[in-house]
Amino acid sequence: MAATLPVGVPVGIGHTWQGSWLCHDVAEYEPGFHYTVTSDANTPWSTESACWILERCGDQSYSIRHFVTGEWLACAEEFMPGARRRYALTAPPSGDPSTDRMLQWQFKPFEGGLFGLKNVGANDWIYVGEMQMDAHKRHVLTFSCGDPAEAAAMLWVVQPAGPSTTPLSLKGLGIWSGASTSTARGRENEEEEESDEDAEPMALSKTTAVCKRTKNKRSWVHRLRSCAAV
């Protein structure tokens, strides 16, 4: 798998089901931590906000660093209220992926050059659902259940984005023999409030049936795992 992932060069990370690219956003989740989004208006060939650098941080894991800010792709430690999902964020550049598992990612390969991305520390798959930031951007989230083999919302492509590369069209890449299109629309709770039900990503896999609904009534505490030694 290592040979299929461009390491140490600018890349775009595309969400194949919706045809949009992973971007750093200027909106802060907490001081020093920013939301990540997918955008249908920005591509790795039109803006550096959609460019990332992959580096190895172990035999089977990678760090994902933003090309401009140097921030690390991470995810929130706490679940969103009443749900098994978290925000995908960027953490301060002072973080250390060699020791912080929340900054480490595994790329599971699938047919057609597609990947599922799993956060090592949270053991969550990264995905994009219906939760919008604005008309052109959707929040990137992680989910504790599901399987990219049957969930198109969890499939991504990694594409070199240097000046000599050819822009890639994402249209149709997420629909292939291993992806279930009949479950392409799942129910998702869009409101950040207490709920007894889990919010589910689009294109739910059958494996989510084993995820039991939670009765946890805690308010969500906006707290992240420390990503930097201070």
Side-chain angles (χ1 to χ4, degrees):
M1 185 178 67
T4 66
L5 288 173
V7 174
V9 297
V11 299
I13 301 175
H15 189 247
T16 59
W17 192 69
Q18 290 191 344
S20 52
W21 295 92
L22 179 67
C23 297
H24 170 278
D25 199 83
V26 296
E28 282 192 325
Y29 170 83
E30 279 193 354
F33 295 83
H34 295 88
Y35 291 103
T36 59
V37 298
T38 57
S39 171
D40 58 14
N42 297 323
T43 76
W45 300 275
S46 67
T47 175
E48 292 179 338
S49 70
C51 292
W52 305 82
I53 302 286
L54 306 185
E55 296 288 355
R56 279 197 169 275
C57 55
D59 291 340
Q60 298 181 345
S61 60
Y62 294 79
S63 62
I64 304 175
R65 190 164 194 161
H66 192 252
F67 180 66
V68 177
T69 68
E71 297 174 20
W72 304 102
L73 186 64
C75 69
E77 183 180 72
E78 294 292 331
F79 287 122
M80 297 171 71
R84 294 179 182 270
R85 61 177 180 169
R86 317 167 199 254
Y87 283 109
L89 308 168
T90 57
S94 54
D96 185 0
S98 67
T99 58
D100 193 337
R101 290 165 58 87
M102 297 296 276
L103 306 182
Q104 299 174 10
W105 298 86
Q106 293 179 340
F107 288 74
K108 182 177 180 180
F110 290 93
E111 181 181 344
L114 307 182
F115 293 93
L117 277 67
K118 177 178 278 191
N119 183 271
V120 175
N123 201 36
D124 285 5
W125 295 103
I126 195 169
Y127 82 100
V128 181
E130 296 284 5
M131 194 176 201
Q132 290 186 295
M133 179 174 281
D134 61 33
H136 296 285
K137 300 176 185 176
R138 294 180 186 273
H139 280 284
V140 181
L141 308 173
T142 67
F143 197 60
S144 63
C145 301
D147 184 350
E150 296 183 351
M154 294 180 176
L155 289 172
W156 302 81
V157 64
V158 178
Q159 177 73 7
S164 62
T165 61
T166 302
L168 174 70
S169 173
L170 296 175
K171 185 177 181 180
L173 286 180
I175 306 302
W176 97 112
S177 59
S180 171
T181 57
S182 63
T183 55
R185 293 284 179 182
R187 175 186 53 76
E188 186 171 306
N189 178 11
E190 301 297 344
E191 298 180 4
E192 295 184 7
E193 62 184 11
E194 294 182 357
S195 170
D196 288 339
E197 298 183 347
D198 292 336
E200 301 170 356
M202 295 184 301
L204 285 177
S205 71
K206 296 177 182 178
T207 58
T208 57
V210 302
C211 295
K212 304 300 183 182
R213 301 207 179 276
T214 179
K215 296 297 182 181
N216 186 358
K217 299 292 288 185
R218 291 182 308 162
S219 296
W220 187 29
V221 179
H222 290 272
R223 181 173 61 86
L224 294 175
R225 178 189 179 92
S226 174
C227 293
V230 294

